[in-house]
Amino acid sequence: MDGPGRSLTVGERAVLLTMLAADFPGSAELRSQVAGALVTGGCVCGCASIDLRVPDGPRASAAPVVTGALLTADIAGTSDGVLLFLRDGYLSHLEFYTPDDAPARLPRPEDLIVRPPEPGR
């Protein structure tokens, strides 16, 4: 994506906030990052996966968590899932995956079965 990025769609924002709804170390900082998060790219396969950037500012406190995949969620009634990645305590990538050949679609937030982060993440 050229330029500084675009705002999250209503659906993307809802999925992120659902993924971050549970309390865990760093969850408050990550939830506050959602408001200013920008989409800076997407997957070339056409799936709903997006790259994220959190601009500097008052809502940009880093979470005390590691870099990499923090949260995973299954999508009810499917074999599909979602992974939320961080880089240096900031939201960096939201990946939607499916074992099917079709590109993974944005799920409804109410269909997410979020697994809590592993201790020490």
Side-chain angles (χ1 to χ4, degrees):
M1 174 176 290
D2 294 332
R6 64 165 174 83
S7 298
L8 294 164
T9 66
V10 171
E12 292 163 345
R13 183 179 311 280
V15 167
L16 273 171
L17 290 174
T18 299
M19 295 282 291
L20 296 168
D23 287 325
F24 57 87
S27 62
E29 291 90 346
L30 294 170
R31 283 191 294 266
S32 70
Q33 292 176 20
V34 173
L38 297 172
V39 176
T40 59
C43 188
V44 295
C45 80
C47 74
S49 297
I50 52 175
D51 295 322
L52 300 166
R53 180 175 60 84
V54 178
D56 294 334
R59 296 182 181 212
S61 296
V65 292
V66 299
T67 294
L70 173 68
L71 292 168
T72 61
D74 297 320
I75 301 172
T78 73
S79 298
D80 302 348
V82 182
L83 297 168
L84 176 59
F85 290 86
L86 306 180
R87 182 175 298 127
D88 299 326
Y90 291 92
L91 302 169
S92 68
H93 185 74
L94 189 59
E95 182 174 333
F96 301 95
Y97 64 88
T98 181
D100 300 331
D101 288 335
R105 304 260 183 253
L106 186 70
R108 298 180 322 164
E110 58 268 24
D111 291 338
L112 294 177
I113 304 163
V114 181
R115 290 185 236 138
E118 295 177 17
R121 297 289 295 167

